[in-house]
Amino acid sequence: MTTLSFDTSKLSSFVNEGELEMMQPMVNMADSLLREGTGAGSDYTDWIKLPTEYDHDEFARIQAAAKKIASDSKVLVVIGIGGSYLGARAAVDFLNDYFNSAYSDADRTAPQIIFAGNNISGQYLNSIIKLIGDRDFSVNVISKSGTTTEPAIAFRVFKQMLEKKYGVEAAKERIYATTDSKRGALKTLADEEGYEEFVVPDGVGGRFSVLTAVGLLPIAAAGGDIEQLMAGAAQAQADYADADLMKNEAYQYAAYRNILYRKGYTTELLVNYEPTLVQFGEWWKQLQGESEGKDGKGIFPATGNFSTDLHSFGQYIQEGRRNLFETLVRVTEPVTDVTIPTMDADDGLGYLQGETMSYVNRMASDGTLLAHVDGGVPNMVVEIEKQDAYHLGYMIYFFEIAVGISGYLNGINPFNQPGVEAYKKNMFGLLGKPGYESLTEELRARL
Protein backbone atom coordinates (compact mmCIF):
# COMPACT_ATOMS: atom_id res chain seq x y z
CA MET A 1 0.00 0.00 0.00
CA THR A 2 1.01 3.65 -0.23
CA THR A 3 2.30 5.51 2.83
CA LEU A 4 -1.28 6.52 3.70
CA SER A 5 -4.55 5.34 2.23
CA PHE A 6 -7.91 7.05 2.56
CA ASP A 7 -10.94 4.77 2.18
CA THR A 8 -14.37 6.32 1.60
CA SER A 9 -16.07 3.22 0.25
CA LYS A 10 -18.48 3.09 3.23
CA LEU A 11 -19.87 6.57 2.48
CA SER A 12 -22.04 5.44 -0.44
CA SER A 13 -25.18 5.34 1.73
CA PHE A 14 -24.61 8.90 2.93
CA VAL A 15 -23.04 10.83 0.04
CA ASN A 16 -24.61 10.79 -3.40
CA GLU A 17 -22.61 10.11 -6.52
CA GLY A 18 -21.27 13.35 -7.91
CA GLU A 19 -21.31 15.32 -4.64
CA LEU A 20 -17.54 15.20 -4.30
CA GLU A 21 -17.10 16.44 -7.86
CA MET A 22 -19.47 19.32 -7.12
CA MET A 23 -17.11 20.42 -4.31
CA GLN A 24 -14.20 20.91 -6.72
CA PRO A 25 -14.78 24.62 -7.51
CA MET A 26 -15.03 25.44 -3.81
CA VAL A 27 -11.93 23.36 -3.08
CA ASN A 28 -10.08 25.24 -5.83
CA MET A 29 -10.95 28.52 -4.13
CA ALA A 30 -9.94 27.21 -0.69
CA ASP A 31 -6.66 25.96 -2.13
CA SER A 32 -5.99 29.37 -3.65
CA LEU A 33 -6.73 31.12 -0.33
CA LEU A 34 -4.38 28.73 1.46
CA ARG A 35 -1.51 28.47 -1.01
CA GLU A 36 -1.44 32.05 -2.25
CA GLY A 37 -1.79 33.56 1.21
CA THR A 38 -4.94 35.53 0.38
CA GLY A 39 -7.20 33.89 2.95
CA ALA A 40 -7.96 35.00 6.50
CA GLY A 41 -5.16 34.13 8.90
CA SER A 42 -2.57 33.78 6.13
CA ASP A 43 0.15 35.13 8.43
CA TYR A 44 0.03 31.74 10.18
CA THR A 45 0.43 29.40 7.23
CA ASP A 46 4.21 28.90 7.18
CA TRP A 47 3.60 25.30 8.32
CA ILE A 48 2.55 24.46 4.75
CA LYS A 49 6.18 24.45 3.54
CA LEU A 50 7.75 23.74 6.92
CA PRO A 51 8.76 20.11 6.14
CA THR A 52 11.09 21.32 3.39
CA GLU A 53 11.83 24.90 4.46
CA TYR A 54 12.86 24.60 8.10
CA ASP A 55 15.93 25.96 9.87
CA HIS A 56 18.53 23.22 9.38
CA ASP A 57 20.99 24.84 11.77
CA GLU A 58 18.43 24.87 14.54
CA PHE A 59 17.49 21.29 13.64
CA ALA A 60 21.10 20.25 14.25
CA ARG A 61 21.10 22.11 17.57
CA ILE A 62 17.93 20.26 18.56
CA GLN A 63 19.62 16.93 17.86
CA ALA A 64 22.69 18.01 19.86
CA ALA A 65 20.55 19.19 22.77
CA ALA A 66 18.66 15.88 22.78
CA LYS A 67 21.99 14.03 23.04
CA LYS A 68 23.12 16.26 25.91
CA ILE A 69 19.85 15.69 27.77
CA ALA A 70 20.25 11.94 27.30
CA SER A 71 23.81 12.12 28.64
CA ASP A 72 23.08 14.06 31.82
CA SER A 73 19.42 13.45 32.69
CA LYS A 74 17.18 10.53 33.49
CA VAL A 75 14.10 12.74 33.17
CA LEU A 76 13.10 15.59 30.87
CA VAL A 77 10.20 17.71 32.15
CA VAL A 78 8.44 19.28 29.16
CA ILE A 79 6.43 22.31 30.26
CA GLY A 80 3.70 23.60 27.97
CA ILE A 81 -0.01 23.57 27.26
CA GLY A 82 -2.18 23.19 24.15
CA GLY A 83 -0.09 23.23 21.00
CA SER A 84 3.03 23.54 23.13
CA TYR A 85 2.70 19.94 24.28
CA LEU A 86 -0.06 17.95 22.56
CA GLY A 87 1.90 17.19 19.39
CA ALA A 88 5.03 16.17 21.26
CA ARG A 89 3.07 13.97 23.64
CA ALA A 90 1.21 12.34 20.75
CA ALA A 91 4.48 11.57 18.97
CA VAL A 92 6.28 10.29 22.07
CA ASP A 93 3.41 7.87 22.78
CA PHE A 94 3.09 6.87 19.11
CA LEU A 95 6.79 6.01 18.82
CA ASN A 96 7.23 4.14 22.11
CA ASP A 97 5.85 1.17 24.00
CA TYR A 98 2.67 1.96 25.89
CA PHE A 99 4.30 1.49 29.32
CA ASN A 100 7.60 3.05 28.32
CA SER A 101 7.03 5.84 30.85
CA ALA A 102 6.93 3.26 33.64
CA TYR A 103 10.19 1.52 32.71
CA SER A 104 13.07 1.60 35.14
CA ASP A 105 16.03 3.78 34.21
CA ALA A 106 18.06 0.63 33.54
CA ASP A 107 15.54 -0.54 30.93
CA ARG A 108 15.04 2.84 29.31
CA THR A 109 17.00 3.78 26.18
CA ALA A 110 16.22 7.51 26.49
CA PRO A 111 15.25 9.90 29.27
CA GLN A 112 11.76 9.61 30.71
CA ILE A 113 9.59 12.39 29.26
CA ILE A 114 7.14 13.94 31.71
CA PHE A 115 4.69 16.64 30.65
CA ALA A 116 3.86 19.46 33.05
CA GLY A 117 2.21 22.87 32.88
CA ASN A 118 -0.83 21.52 31.04
CA ASN A 119 -3.18 21.92 34.02
CA ILE A 120 -3.42 23.81 37.34
CA SER A 121 -3.46 20.78 39.63
CA GLY A 122 -1.15 20.86 42.64
CA GLN A 123 -1.70 17.13 43.08
CA TYR A 124 -0.48 16.46 39.55
CA LEU A 125 2.61 18.63 40.04
CA ASN A 126 3.45 16.97 43.35
CA SER A 127 3.12 13.57 41.68
CA ILE A 128 5.72 14.62 39.10
CA ILE A 129 8.05 15.84 41.84
CA LYS A 130 7.75 12.47 43.59
CA LEU A 131 8.30 10.65 40.31
CA ILE A 132 11.51 12.56 39.62
CA GLY A 133 12.76 11.86 43.13
CA ASP A 134 16.53 12.31 43.36
CA ARG A 135 17.15 11.52 39.69
CA ASP A 136 18.97 13.95 37.41
CA PHE A 137 16.56 15.97 35.28
CA SER A 138 16.34 18.81 32.79
CA VAL A 139 13.50 21.12 31.74
CA ASN A 140 12.21 22.18 28.34
CA VAL A 141 9.85 25.12 28.86
CA ILE A 142 7.71 25.94 25.82
CA SER A 143 5.75 29.19 25.61
CA LYS A 144 5.66 31.90 22.98
CA SER A 145 4.82 34.59 25.53
CA GLY A 146 6.10 33.10 28.75
CA THR A 147 3.07 34.40 30.63
CA THR A 148 0.53 31.64 30.06
CA THR A 149 -0.58 30.76 33.58
CA GLU A 150 -0.33 26.97 33.60
CA PRO A 151 3.21 26.59 32.21
CA ALA A 152 4.45 29.72 33.99
CA ILE A 153 3.52 28.24 37.39
CA ALA A 154 5.09 24.88 36.56
CA PHE A 155 8.29 26.49 35.29
CA ARG A 156 8.68 28.53 38.46
CA VAL A 157 8.39 25.33 40.54
CA PHE A 158 10.86 23.26 38.49
CA LYS A 159 13.30 26.13 38.03
CA GLN A 160 13.50 26.40 41.82
CA MET A 161 14.00 22.64 42.07
CA LEU A 162 16.86 22.75 39.58
CA GLU A 163 18.55 25.62 41.38
CA LYS A 164 18.31 23.88 44.74
CA LYS A 165 19.65 20.62 43.32
CA TYR A 166 22.44 21.89 41.07
CA GLY A 167 22.99 25.53 42.04
CA VAL A 168 21.90 28.61 40.13
CA GLU A 169 24.61 28.52 37.46
CA ALA A 170 24.51 24.76 36.79
CA ALA A 171 20.72 24.85 36.65
CA LYS A 172 20.92 27.18 33.64
CA GLU A 173 22.65 24.41 31.70
CA ARG A 174 19.63 22.16 32.22
CA ILE A 175 16.93 24.58 31.06
CA TYR A 176 15.96 24.71 27.38
CA ALA A 177 13.58 27.48 26.35
CA THR A 178 11.41 27.20 23.23
CA THR A 179 9.86 30.62 22.72
CA ASP A 180 9.47 33.68 20.50
CA SER A 181 12.54 34.78 18.57
CA LYS A 182 12.30 38.45 19.55
CA ARG A 183 9.96 39.26 22.42
CA GLY A 184 8.05 38.02 25.46
CA ALA A 185 8.72 37.29 29.10
CA LEU A 186 10.32 33.89 28.48
CA LYS A 187 12.52 35.25 25.68
CA THR A 188 13.73 38.04 27.97
CA LEU A 189 14.44 35.63 30.82
CA ALA A 190 16.22 33.15 28.54
CA ASP A 191 18.46 35.91 27.18
CA GLU A 192 19.28 37.15 30.68
CA GLU A 193 19.95 33.69 32.13
CA GLY A 194 21.70 32.22 29.11
CA TYR A 195 19.37 29.26 28.55
CA GLU A 196 19.75 27.42 25.26
CA GLU A 197 16.95 28.78 23.10
CA PHE A 198 14.83 27.39 20.30
CA VAL A 199 12.26 29.27 18.27
CA VAL A 200 8.49 29.12 17.99
CA PRO A 201 8.19 30.47 14.41
CA ASP A 202 6.02 33.57 13.97
CA GLY A 203 4.17 32.08 11.03
CA VAL A 204 3.25 28.78 12.68
CA GLY A 205 0.37 28.66 15.16
CA GLY A 206 0.65 26.45 18.23
CA ARG A 207 -1.60 23.66 17.01
CA PHE A 208 0.51 23.37 13.82
CA SER A 209 3.87 23.53 15.63
CA VAL A 210 4.70 19.86 16.26
CA LEU A 211 7.20 19.87 13.37
CA THR A 212 9.06 22.86 14.85
CA ALA A 213 11.34 22.90 17.88
CA VAL A 214 8.14 22.86 19.97
CA GLY A 215 7.68 19.18 19.18
CA LEU A 216 11.04 18.16 17.78
CA LEU A 217 13.14 18.62 20.93
CA PRO A 218 10.94 16.47 23.20
CA ILE A 219 10.51 13.88 20.44
CA ALA A 220 14.25 13.69 19.81
CA ALA A 221 14.99 13.55 23.55
CA ALA A 222 12.62 10.59 23.80
CA GLY A 223 14.64 8.76 21.15
CA GLY A 224 12.41 9.57 18.17
CA ASP A 225 13.96 9.83 14.71
CA ILE A 226 13.10 13.42 13.83
CA GLU A 227 14.86 13.20 10.47
CA GLN A 228 12.42 10.50 9.41
CA LEU A 229 9.54 12.46 10.93
CA MET A 230 10.37 15.44 8.71
CA ALA A 231 10.99 13.18 5.70
CA GLY A 232 7.50 11.73 6.02
CA ALA A 233 5.96 15.18 6.30
CA ALA A 234 7.97 16.37 3.29
CA GLN A 235 6.64 13.49 1.21
CA ALA A 236 3.10 14.37 2.25
CA GLN A 237 3.76 18.01 1.34
CA ALA A 238 4.65 16.86 -2.17
CA ASP A 239 1.80 14.35 -2.43
CA TYR A 240 -0.91 16.79 -1.31
CA ALA A 241 0.07 19.79 -3.44
CA ASP A 242 -2.50 19.25 -6.23
CA ALA A 243 -5.97 20.79 -5.77
CA ASP A 244 -7.58 18.08 -7.91
CA LEU A 245 -9.83 16.06 -5.57
CA MET A 246 -9.23 12.92 -7.58
CA LYS A 247 -5.49 13.19 -6.84
CA ASN A 248 -5.45 14.63 -3.33
CA GLU A 249 -6.85 12.43 -0.55
CA ALA A 250 -6.25 15.04 2.16
CA TYR A 251 -8.47 17.42 0.21
CA GLN A 252 -11.01 14.62 -0.24
CA TYR A 253 -11.13 14.24 3.54
CA ALA A 254 -11.76 17.97 3.92
CA ALA A 255 -14.47 17.92 1.26
CA TYR A 256 -16.29 14.86 2.63
CA ARG A 257 -16.24 16.35 6.14
CA ASN A 258 -17.97 19.44 4.80
CA ILE A 259 -20.49 17.43 2.79
CA LEU A 260 -21.42 15.43 5.89
CA TYR A 261 -21.52 18.56 8.06
CA ARG A 262 -24.07 20.15 5.74
CA LYS A 263 -26.20 17.03 6.02
CA GLY A 264 -26.38 17.38 9.82
CA TYR A 265 -23.42 15.24 10.87
CA THR A 266 -21.97 17.77 13.27
CA THR A 267 -19.74 15.55 15.46
CA GLU A 268 -16.68 13.68 14.22
CA LEU A 269 -15.18 10.80 16.18
CA LEU A 270 -11.54 10.05 15.46
CA VAL A 271 -11.33 6.34 16.24
CA ASN A 272 -8.28 4.21 16.98
CA TYR A 273 -7.68 0.60 18.03
CA GLU A 274 -4.23 1.09 19.56
CA PRO A 275 -3.65 2.66 23.01
CA THR A 276 -0.47 4.31 21.70
CA LEU A 277 -2.67 6.40 19.38
CA VAL A 278 -4.83 7.86 22.15
CA GLN A 279 -2.70 10.99 22.50
CA PHE A 280 -2.67 11.42 18.71
CA GLY A 281 -6.42 11.85 19.06
CA GLU A 282 -5.89 14.56 21.68
CA TRP A 283 -3.59 16.44 19.28
CA TRP A 284 -6.17 16.05 16.51
CA LYS A 285 -8.94 17.40 18.76
CA GLN A 286 -7.11 20.68 19.24
CA LEU A 287 -6.18 20.89 15.56
CA GLN A 288 -9.79 20.46 14.47
CA GLY A 289 -11.62 22.20 17.30
CA GLU A 290 -9.44 25.30 17.54
CA SER A 291 -9.27 25.66 13.76
CA GLU A 292 -12.97 25.24 12.96
CA GLY A 293 -15.03 25.93 16.08
CA LYS A 294 -15.90 29.60 15.64
CA ASP A 295 -18.55 31.97 14.28
CA GLY A 296 -21.24 29.59 15.54
CA LYS A 297 -20.01 26.90 13.15
CA GLY A 298 -17.77 23.86 13.09
CA ILE A 299 -17.69 20.09 13.51
CA PHE A 300 -17.29 19.04 17.14
CA PRO A 301 -14.16 16.84 17.44
CA ALA A 302 -14.28 13.83 19.76
CA THR A 303 -12.32 10.61 20.03
CA GLY A 304 -13.12 6.94 20.44
CA ASN A 305 -10.51 4.55 21.81
CA PHE A 306 -11.73 1.14 20.64
CA SER A 307 -12.42 -1.56 21.46
CA THR A 308 -12.36 -0.13 25.02
CA ASP A 309 -14.96 2.58 24.40
CA LEU A 310 -17.27 0.17 22.59
CA HIS A 311 -18.06 -1.14 26.06
CA SER A 312 -18.97 2.34 27.33
CA PHE A 313 -20.46 4.68 24.71
CA GLY A 314 -20.58 2.16 21.85
CA GLN A 315 -24.33 1.85 22.44
CA TYR A 316 -24.78 5.57 21.77
CA ILE A 317 -22.73 5.41 18.59
CA GLN A 318 -24.78 2.48 17.34
CA GLU A 319 -28.26 3.74 18.17
CA GLY A 320 -28.11 7.31 19.51
CA ARG A 321 -28.69 10.59 17.67
CA ARG A 322 -27.60 10.38 14.06
CA ASN A 323 -25.37 13.45 14.11
CA LEU A 324 -22.11 11.46 14.25
CA PHE A 325 -19.58 10.39 11.70
CA GLU A 326 -16.35 8.49 12.31
CA THR A 327 -12.84 8.66 10.91
CA LEU A 328 -10.93 5.51 11.75
CA VAL A 329 -7.14 5.78 12.02
CA ARG A 330 -5.37 2.44 11.93
CA VAL A 331 -1.99 0.88 11.25
CA THR A 332 -1.56 -2.07 8.88
CA GLU A 333 1.50 -3.70 10.43
CA PRO A 334 1.49 -4.14 14.21
CA VAL A 335 4.61 -3.00 16.06
CA THR A 336 4.57 -6.24 18.05
CA ASP A 337 2.03 -9.04 18.36
CA VAL A 338 0.79 -11.83 20.62
CA THR A 339 -0.42 -15.25 19.50
CA ILE A 340 -3.39 -16.57 21.43
CA PRO A 341 -2.22 -19.75 23.23
CA THR A 342 -3.47 -23.20 22.36
CA MET A 343 -4.74 -25.01 25.43
CA ASP A 344 -7.54 -27.16 26.77
CA ALA A 345 -9.77 -24.61 28.44
CA ASP A 346 -13.51 -24.12 28.51
CA ASP A 347 -13.28 -20.36 27.96
CA GLY A 348 -14.96 -20.15 24.57
CA LEU A 349 -11.75 -19.17 22.78
CA GLY A 350 -11.05 -22.42 20.99
CA TYR A 351 -11.90 -20.87 17.63
CA LEU A 352 -9.26 -18.16 18.16
CA GLN A 353 -6.33 -20.16 19.49
CA GLY A 354 -3.30 -19.84 17.27
CA GLU A 355 -4.51 -16.52 15.84
CA THR A 356 -2.71 -13.26 16.53
CA MET A 357 -4.24 -10.45 18.56
CA SER A 358 -3.65 -8.09 15.64
CA TYR A 359 -5.89 -10.32 13.50
CA VAL A 360 -8.63 -10.23 16.15
CA ASN A 361 -8.22 -6.46 16.46
CA ARG A 362 -8.50 -6.04 12.70
CA MET A 363 -11.69 -8.10 12.57
CA ALA A 364 -13.08 -6.08 15.48
CA SER A 365 -12.41 -2.84 13.61
CA ASP A 366 -13.91 -4.15 10.36
CA GLY A 367 -16.96 -5.56 12.15
CA THR A 368 -17.53 -2.38 14.11
CA LEU A 369 -17.19 -0.24 11.01
CA LEU A 370 -19.87 -2.25 9.21
CA ALA A 371 -22.17 -2.25 12.24
CA HIS A 372 -21.91 1.51 12.65
CA VAL A 373 -22.49 2.13 8.94
CA ASP A 374 -25.58 -0.10 9.13
CA GLY A 375 -26.67 1.92 12.17
CA GLY A 376 -26.50 5.17 10.23
CA VAL A 377 -23.01 6.41 11.06
CA PRO A 378 -20.84 7.45 8.08
CA ASN A 379 -17.30 6.07 8.26
CA MET A 380 -14.01 7.00 6.62
CA VAL A 381 -10.69 5.19 7.12
CA VAL A 382 -7.20 6.70 7.26
CA GLU A 383 -4.65 3.89 7.26
CA ILE A 384 -0.88 4.02 7.47
CA GLU A 385 1.38 1.06 6.79
CA LYS A 386 3.69 1.28 9.79
CA GLN A 387 3.75 2.92 13.20
CA ASP A 388 7.04 4.76 12.85
CA ALA A 389 8.37 8.32 12.61
CA TYR A 390 8.13 8.53 8.80
CA HIS A 391 4.48 7.52 8.70
CA LEU A 392 3.65 9.74 11.67
CA GLY A 393 5.13 12.78 9.94
CA TYR A 394 3.14 11.93 6.83
CA MET A 395 -0.12 11.57 8.76
CA ILE A 396 0.43 14.78 10.73
CA TYR A 397 0.71 16.71 7.48
CA PHE A 398 -2.36 14.96 6.05
CA PHE A 399 -4.55 16.27 8.87
CA GLU A 400 -2.93 19.72 8.95
CA ILE A 401 -3.40 20.47 5.25
CA ALA A 402 -6.91 19.02 5.37
CA VAL A 403 -8.08 21.29 8.19
CA GLY A 404 -6.74 24.36 6.39
CA ILE A 405 -8.88 23.51 3.37
CA SER A 406 -11.85 22.44 5.50
CA GLY A 407 -11.91 25.71 7.42
CA TYR A 408 -11.98 27.83 4.29
CA LEU A 409 -14.70 25.59 2.82
CA ASN A 410 -16.80 26.45 5.86
CA GLY A 411 -16.19 30.17 5.53
CA ILE A 412 -14.10 30.73 8.66
CA ASN A 413 -10.54 31.72 9.54
CA PRO A 414 -8.88 28.38 10.38
CA PHE A 415 -5.82 30.01 11.95
CA ASN A 416 -7.08 32.20 14.78
CA GLN A 417 -8.63 31.28 18.14
CA PRO A 418 -10.38 34.35 19.58
CA GLY A 419 -12.55 32.29 21.92
CA VAL A 420 -9.55 30.92 23.82
CA GLU A 421 -9.01 34.26 25.56
CA ALA A 422 -12.45 34.44 27.21
CA TYR A 423 -11.73 32.01 30.03
CA LYS A 424 -8.30 33.54 30.62
CA LYS A 425 -9.76 37.01 31.11
CA ASN A 426 -12.24 35.73 33.68
CA MET A 427 -9.56 33.68 35.46
CA PHE A 428 -7.27 36.70 35.70
CA GLY A 429 -10.13 38.77 37.04
CA LEU A 430 -11.01 36.26 39.74
CA LEU A 431 -7.34 35.88 40.70
CA GLY A 432 -6.98 39.64 41.11
CA LYS A 433 -4.33 40.12 38.44
CA PRO A 434 -3.28 43.80 38.17
CA GLY A 435 -5.22 45.59 35.45
CA TYR A 436 -8.37 43.47 35.90
CA GLU A 437 -9.75 45.22 39.02
CA SER A 438 -13.14 46.22 37.58
CA LEU A 439 -13.68 42.76 36.14
CA THR A 440 -12.72 41.23 39.50
CA GLU A 441 -15.57 43.06 41.24
CA GLU A 442 -18.04 42.21 38.50
CA LEU A 443 -17.25 38.48 38.42
CA ARG A 444 -17.15 38.05 42.18
CA ALA A 445 -20.56 39.71 42.40
CA ARG A 446 -21.92 37.22 39.86
CA LEU A 447 -20.52 34.29 41.81
Side-chain angles (χ1 to χ4, degrees):
M1 62 177 292
T2 57
T3 304
L4 182 150
S5 66
F6 180 56
D7 181 5
T8 60
S9 61
K10 301 303 183 292
L11 289 181
S12 59
S13 300
F14 308 97
V15 178
N16 297 325
E17 187 176 354
E19 282 191 82
L20 183 66
E21 183 180 350
M22 292 294 290
M23 293 290 291
Q24 186 65 67
M26 289 177 280
V27 167
N28 290 341
M29 179 61 71
D31 177 77
S32 176
L33 292 172
L34 186 64
R35 305 280 182 177
E36 297 175 15
T38 57
S42 60
D43 289 345
Y44 292 95
T45 56
D46 286 357
W47 54 270
I48 296 172
K49 296 181 179 179
L50 184 63
T52 54
E53 298 182 7
Y54 60 91
D55 185 334
H56 289 264
D57 290 337
E58 182 180 63
F59 192 87
R61 286 199 304 112
I62 289 169
Q63 291 175 308
K67 289 181 180 179
K68 179 180 179 297
I69 293 166
S71 71
D72 65 19
S73 301
K74 297 297 184 184
V75 178
L76 175 65
V77 181
V78 179
I79 299 174
I81 195 167
S84 294
Y85 100 100
L86 283 168
R89 186 168 185 180
V92 169
D93 275 20
F94 186 96
L95 297 173
N96 286 281
D97 290 342
Y98 186 75
F99 291 109
N100 180 67
S101 61
Y103 288 176
S104 67
D105 290 337
D107 293 331
R108 196 185 309 281
T109 58
Q112 182 176 11
I113 310 299
I114 302 174
F115 294 91
N118 49 66
N119 57 57
I120 320 176
S121 167
Q123 180 182 2
Y124 180 84
L125 210 60
N126 273 323
S127 296
I128 292 177
I129 293 169
K130 291 178 182 177
L131 184 61
I132 294 172
D134 62 359
R135 293 184 293 168
D136 288 318
F137 74 101
S138 295
V139 167
N140 177 206
V141 56
I142 307 168
S143 176
K144 192 164 180 65
S145 67
T147 58
T148 305
T149 305
E150 295 90 340
I153 292 172
F155 181 52
R156 176 175 286 207
V157 171
F158 288 108
K159 179 175 181 286
Q160 183 184 63
M161 283 179 59
L162 283 170
E163 290 175 348
K164 285 183 177 181
K165 185 176 179 69
Y166 301 104
V168 173
E169 291 305 313
K172 296 175 183 179
E173 300 297 317
R174 292 177 172 272
I175 296 175
Y176 303 83
T178 306
T179 188
D180 192 271
S181 62
K182 300 182 182 67
R183 62 187 69 86
L186 181 55
K187 169 62 177 173
T188 300
L189 178 64
D191 287 348
E192 291 174 351
E193 298 293 311
Y195 305 152
E196 182 161 9
E197 298 178 40
F198 300 97
V199 175
V200 181
D202 289 336
V204 180
R207 58 188 175 274
F208 293 88
S209 66
V210 62
L211 299 179
T212 72
V214 171
L216 295 178
L217 179 55
I219 294 167
D225 188 339
I226 59 174
E227 291 185 0
Q228 281 296 297
L229 186 75
M230 296 302 284
Q235 186 60 56
Q237 179 185 325
D239 290 349
Y240 300 134
D242 196 320
D244 187 342
L245 282 170
M246 297 303 103
K247 299 177 181 177
N248 192 325
E249 292 183 326
Y251 282 24
Q252 285 181 31
Y253 173 59
Y256 277 122
R257 292 178 78 248
N258 278 266
I259 291 170
L260 292 169
Y261 177 59
R262 285 158 176 75
K263 292 173 182 279
Y265 298 99
T266 57
T267 296
E268 180 178 12
L269 288 175
L270 191 80
V271 173
N272 71 77
Y273 282 79
E274 284 293 341
T276 47
L277 270 65
V278 169
Q279 290 300 324
F280 183 85
E282 295 303 302
W283 169 80
W284 172 89
K285 279 199 297 191
Q286 185 197 14
L287 181 70
Q288 302 293 338
E290 204 167 74
S291 296
E292 294 194 305
K294 56 199 70 165
D295 300 336
K297 296 184 282 189
I299 298 167
F300 182 79
T303 55
N305 306 311
F306 294 171
S307 62
T308 304
D309 287 342
L310 292 174
H311 295 262
S312 53
F313 66 90
Q315 169 63 40
Y316 186 94
I317 299 171
Q318 190 68 45
E319 296 183 344
R321 291 188 64 185
R322 300 298 78 185
N323 63 339
L324 306 172
F325 69 95
E326 292 174 297
T327 299
L328 167 61
V329 173
R330 64 182 178 186
V331 183
T332 306
E333 297 181 15
V335 176
T336 62
D337 215 340
V338 172
T339 299
I340 300 169
T342 299
M343 60 177 62
D344 293 326
D346 188 18
D347 58 4
L349 289 180
Y351 72 106
L352 291 178
Q353 58 189 18
E355 297 287 0
T356 61
M357 287 187 69
S358 64
Y359 168 76
V360 177
N361 206 22
R362 183 80 179 196
M363 294 305 100
S365 67
D366 285 343
T368 302
L369 187 153
L370 293 174
H372 288 178
V373 168
D374 290 345
V377 180
N379 266 256
M380 298 178 281
V381 181
V382 173
E383 185 162 354
I384 56 174
E385 187 176 3
K386 296 179 180 179
Q387 193 169 329
D388 59 19
Y390 182 89
H391 288 78
L392 176 60
Y394 196 101
M395 186 164 62
I396 284 171
Y397 196 87
F398 171 91
F399 282 111
E400 286 183 342
I401 200 71
V403 81
I405 293 297
S406 184
Y408 283 140
L409 287 176
N410 205 19
I412 55 94
N413 177 354
F415 307 115
N416 67 351
Q417 53 277 341
V420 172
E421 300 304 315
Y423 93 88
K424 293 181 182 179
K425 185 175 73 170
N426 284 357
M427 179 177 68
F428 292 152
L430 290 170
L431 289 171
K433 184 174 181 177
Y436 291 80
E437 289 80 5
S438 60
L439 182 61
T440 299
E441 294 180 11
E442 175 190 337
L443 294 176
R444 288 179 177 172
R446 287 176 60 188
L447 290 174

